Amino acid sequence: LGMRPNATARAIAYINLAAYETAIPGMQGFQSNSRAIPGLRISDDNRRGSVDYQLALNACYADVLDHFLLNMPDAQRVKIKTLESSLETELSEDINERTTDDSKSWGASVAAQIIEFSQTDQAAEEQILEPQPLSYEPPTGDGYWTYSAEQERALFPYWESVRTFVIAPEQTTTIPPMTYSEDPSSAYFQQMQEVYDSNNHARKEDGESLWIAEFWSDDVENLMFSPPARQVSIASQLITEEDLNLEESLHLLLKLGFSLNDAAVSTWKYKYEYMVMRPNVFIHEFIDPSYQTNLYRLIPWPNPTFPGYPSGHSAFASAAAGVFINFFGPEANFTDRSHEGRTEFRGQPRSFETFEDMATENAYSRVPLGVHISIDCTEGLRLGYEISD
């Protein structure tokens, strides 16, 4: 709640870093990130005696979930504590009390150290408390993004200053967007026309295009994942399908967390550098004043609350796809069941032959949803793959 999507990507990175570092003493052939990441030091003073790493992970996860999942309702926190207790009982059944205590102590110690490390990123800590700062007013200009209501104020406009793990935003590359134009024969105008036609066709047809748009939307708090968390859902399904062991699973989730975090930082840097408007503003003025996005029936305002270029959905999709390709190869033969059983929107499972196909569909789903022009999606995909590489 209140974390979409930047704080979610950051939380995923730290949660999975904590889990990985908890288990690393028992993972042959793997290395700690301590000292490889500037400022990160994991003390092993609290690793005493014999440690059962599943018990240690149980304790670690409980603490980092409680810390990083912001504004979580009390009922959900109770469920996490209940799950922790249930798993502890199950996992400690054949383990002596001393080992159980030592394992829990180690997991809690690593969680505390990762939480403390995260809090040294003052830029992130301050922005999470005020994700839509009243101090920020967007610059004005032809084709610039702006907000029309308080709920649409800029989300995380200073996120480029947040800590990254693998690649800083100034180390990434960027392709500037095409030139703004109100000329109906221009490439820019045609991009807007494409959104208008695609959005309206999807609604009228009420078929696969609208299914794709809503399946990948992940825009609605309390109803859907945020876009980075959707990739964790996919990873969890892959871990089960591919029967990964504990070490492989922790390694996959660590790399995914780093990739998603760094994608959020670079994507938001360029969003607020280029300030590209959302389609509905242009379409209302130059094509059809009665235009409504296909997202509008799900949220009380028509757009995500930040500039369009590059697309965050697209960057998160390829930042994850690149990691999945690295782990599993390009062929996916994968069915995403993340929204299976939902009836509030079109969430029926969709199948993909390759991870690239899945990322591409995710990216360009934003066009029939009505909230992005194609160049936003193309650049988001390119940037996400650069970061995952």
Side-chain angles (χ1 to χ4, degrees):
L1 293 174
M3 295 178 63
R4 314 172 57 87
N6 310 52
T8 300
R10 179 177 184 262
I12 290 167
Y14 282 105
I15 288 167
N16 288 305
L17 174 60
Y20 180 91
E21 294 298 331
T22 294
I24 196 65
M27 292 168 59
Q28 278 196 327
F30 294 87
Q31 295 182 346
S32 170
N33 293 279
S34 185
R35 300 185 185 279
I37 296 174
L40 177 63
R41 300 288 184 272
I42 302 296
S43 168
D44 62 359
D45 290 347
N46 288 324
R47 184 160 56 87
R48 303 182 299 269
S50 178
V51 171
D52 179 274
Y53 289 103
Q54 292 190 73
L55 271 171
L57 281 166
N58 186 48
C60 173
Y61 274 126
D63 288 353
V64 291
L65 289 172
D66 183 71
H67 177 81
F68 287 107
L69 299 187
L70 307 177
N71 305 321
M72 188 164 47
D74 289 342
Q76 297 300 320
R77 295 194 187 279
V78 169
K79 286 184 178 181
I80 289 175
K81 294 303 294 183
T82 300
L83 179 60
E84 178 192 16
S85 178
S86 173
L87 287 171
E88 181 183 326
T89 299
E90 176 185 338
L91 294 169
S92 61
E93 186 173 348
D94 298 319
I95 297 175
N96 63 55
E97 184 176 353
R98 175 66 182 272
T99 298
T100 297
D101 289 344
D102 287 348
S103 302
K104 290 165 57 180
S105 176
W106 172 241
S109 171
V110 175
Q113 292 180 72
I114 295 298
I115 290 169
E116 183 178 4
F117 173 63
S118 76
Q119 291 171 332
T120 63
D121 182 7
Q122 199 61 37
E125 293 290 309
E126 291 175 357
Q127 291 179 69
I128 285 172
L129 295 176
E130 192 180 10
Q132 293 175 288
L134 298 177
S135 62
Y136 180 82
E137 288 294 335
T140 58
D142 288 341
Y144 277 27
W145 173 89
T146 191
Y147 63 97
S148 58
E150 285 301 301
Q151 301 98 316
E152 288 186 0
R153 271 190 171 273
L155 184 71
F156 295 122
Y158 309 118
W159 200 254
E160 69 171 285
S161 59
V162 167
R163 174 186 289 141
T164 54
F165 292 94
V166 176
I167 183 167
E170 60 270 18
Q171 296 172 306
T172 60
T173 64
T174 180
I175 298 174
M178 63 176 55
T179 303
Y180 172 81
S181 175
E182 298 165 10
D183 180 350
S185 66
S186 68
Y188 187 91
F189 195 106
Q190 291 305 308
Q191 291 259 317
M192 293 294 182
Q193 185 70 51
E194 178 192 21
V195 175
Y196 178 73
D197 293 340
S198 179
N199 178 88
N200 291 351
H201 174 74
R203 184 185 303 141
K204 181 179 179 180
E205 179 194 41
D206 196 15
E208 184 171 52
S209 292
L210 196 56
W211 176 18
I212 290 171
E214 293 193 1
F215 179 79
W216 290 110
S217 170
D218 295 334
D219 287 288
V220 187
E221 288 195 52
N222 300 317
L223 184 64
M224 303 169 174
F225 305 99
S226 93
R230 173 64 169 273
Q231 300 303 326
V232 176
S233 170
I234 291 169
S236 297
Q237 294 172 72
L238 289 167
I239 285 169
T240 299
E241 289 187 12
E242 299 295 329
D243 196 25
L244 297 192
N245 62 29
L246 179 62
E247 291 84 357
E248 293 167 334
S249 301
L250 292 172
H251 191 205
L252 171 63
L253 291 170
L254 175 79
K255 293 177 77 171
L256 179 62
F258 285 174
S259 192
L260 293 170
N261 177 86
D262 292 7
V265 177
S266 284
T267 301
W268 258 250
K269 165 188 167 61
Y270 295 124
K271 280 181 178 293
Y272 287 99
E273 179 177 321
Y274 294 123
M275 297 300 293
V276 173
M277 65 165 34
R278 294 283 177 165
N280 81 301
V281 177
F282 186 95
I283 291 170
H284 281 165
E285 185 168 358
F286 299 108
I287 299 177
D288 181 355
S290 66
Y291 171 76
Q292 283 190 354
T293 70
N294 285 322
L295 179 60
Y296 189 61
R297 79 171 186 85
L298 297 170
I299 62 174
W301 53 88
N303 287 304
T305 58
F306 36 84
Y309 185 93
S311 157
H313 267 72
S314 306
F316 292 130
S318 53
V323 172
F324 297 149
I325 290 168
N326 174 254
F327 256 78
F328 304 110
E331 303 301 317
N333 297 316
F334 171 70
T335 298
D336 182 8
R337 304 183 184 278
S338 292
H339 291 312
E340 191 168 28
R342 301 305 295 265
T343 58
E344 307 92 334
F345 57 94
R346 292 158 182 79
Q348 306 98 308
R350 291 188 61 82
S351 298
F352 307 93
E353 293 185 358
T354 69
F355 292 113
E356 183 179 4
D357 288 346
M358 182 169 65
T360 299
E361 181 178 283
N362 183 348
Y364 290 101
S365 71
R366 308 301 281 170
V367 177
L369 194 66
V371 299
H372 274 290
I373 53 178
S374 289
I375 60 168
D376 300 345
C377 309
T378 301
E379 176 61 4
L381 278 173
R382 188 205 63 79
L383 179 61
Y385 278 125
E386 179 180 324
I387 288 164
S388 63
D389 285 348

